[in-house]
Amino acid sequence: MTDATPPAGPPERMCPSTPASNATVFLGMITPAGRVAYVTPAVPAEVALAGADDSAGPIESRVRLAGPCVTSSCGFWTGSHCGLGARMAASYADTAPPAEETLPKCAIRRTCRWFDEQGPAACPACSHVVTDARLP
């Protein structure tokens, strides 16, 4: 009898700021202050999308969604890493007070592209990101 289990490789990297069309995980709600209130444990994106009211504007302006990183199919991909994650972490580090010791509870941190590439510096910046649904 043979084992049909494929070899374990690195986990699929997730984009923490994906448009609804590619979303698989509901990451959190956008608060009135423009920050993400994370939802843990992971909740399927369908939960957030099911109750979406299109008359209130793009769903991405009200919730944060995550989905598989599409690498070269994304305008932020540099060829080797996510340019948006790097830019957000660097910009936030330059303008914000020192990062908090405790990282927010995040349902995708283990597989997050930004966390994988930028480390804990990505997390404080991530909580301020609102996806622009008009981007390709």
Side-chain angles (χ1 to χ4, degrees), residues 29-37 61 64 124-131:
M29 299 292 299
I30 306 295
T31 68
R35 292 191 67 176
V36 177
S61 67
R64 274 285 294 287
C126 181
S127 68
H128 291 275
V129 173
V130 176
T131 305

Side-chain angles (χ1 to χ4, degrees), residues 21-63:
S21 60
N22 194 44
T24 57
V25 176
F26 169 41
L27 200 55
M29 299 292 299
I30 306 295
T31 68
R35 292 191 67 176
V36 177
Y38 292 98
V39 174
T40 55
V43 174
E46 293 81 25
V47 171
L49 299 174
D53 177 8
D54 291 341
S55 67
I59 184 74
E60 294 90 348
S61 67
R62 293 172 277 143
V63 301

Side-chain angles (χ1 to χ4, degrees), residues 35 88-100 121 123-128:
R35 292 191 67 176
M88 292 301 302
S91 175
Y92 192 81
D94 288 345
T95 60
E100 299 172 10
C123 298
C126 181
S127 68
H128 291 275

Side-chain angles (χ1 to χ4, degrees), residues 57-115:
I59 184 74
E60 294 90 348
S61 67
R62 293 172 277 143
V63 301
R64 274 285 294 287
L65 301 164
C69 174
V70 296
T71 59
S72 62
S73 296
C74 176
F76 294 113
W77 187 249
T78 68
S80 62
H81 68 276
C82 177
L84 180 60
R87 192 168 64 212
M88 292 301 302
S91 175
Y92 192 81
D94 288 345
T95 60
E100 299 172 10
E101 295 283 325
T102 305
L103 299 178
K105 291 183 180 181
C106 175
I108 69 162
R109 183 171 295 120
R110 183 181 65 77
T111 58
C112 178
R113 167 75 61 194
W114 294 2
F115 187 79

